[in-house]
Amino acid sequence: ADLCKSEQAAKNWTALRDKHKGSSGEADVERLYALRLSICSAIENGQLTKQQGVKQFEGEREKVIKAWEREGEEYHQVDPDSLG
């Protein structure tokens, strides 16, 4: 499934953003959201392969999760595969 175009993935991201609104993790979630949109656009335009996009996004997501674990913030992941 192409989660860049999936309505369910979009709903999941909206839920994730809402869940973190006003929390210490809000900026991280917004940064990941913007990164996801950018990567999806790059995939659609042929600048990245889907595999490259997933690798780039997952690398950044892992950094956020590790930082949150150090800070005691809980990462509420809605969709396990942000790009598919």
Side-chain angles (χ1 to χ4, degrees), residues 34-53:
L35 177 63
R36 178 183 177 273
L37 293 179
S38 174
I39 289 172
C40 286
S41 178
I43 291 170
E44 189 173 305
N45 293 331
Q47 296 167 312
L48 286 176
T49 65
K50 190 172 179 182
Q51 184 178 10
Q52 290 169 323

Side-chain angles (χ1 to χ4, degrees), residues 12-65:
N12 289 346
W13 271 98
T14 298
L16 183 65
R17 292 171 74 202
D18 289 347
K19 188 168 201 93
H20 288 284
K21 195 165 206 76
S23 76
S24 60
E26 180 177 15
D28 291 326
V29 170
E30 290 299 323
R31 187 172 53 81
L32 288 175
Y33 177 74
L35 177 63
R36 178 183 177 273
L37 293 179
S38 174
I39 289 172
C40 286
S41 178
I43 291 170
E44 189 173 305
N45 293 331
Q47 296 167 312
L48 286 176
T49 65
K50 190 172 179 182
Q51 184 178 10
Q52 290 169 323
V54 168
K55 184 176 179 180
Q56 182 180 348
F57 182 85
E58 290 302 318
E60 290 302 312
R61 187 176 68 87
E62 283 300 315
K63 288 179 192 174
V64 168
I65 291 171

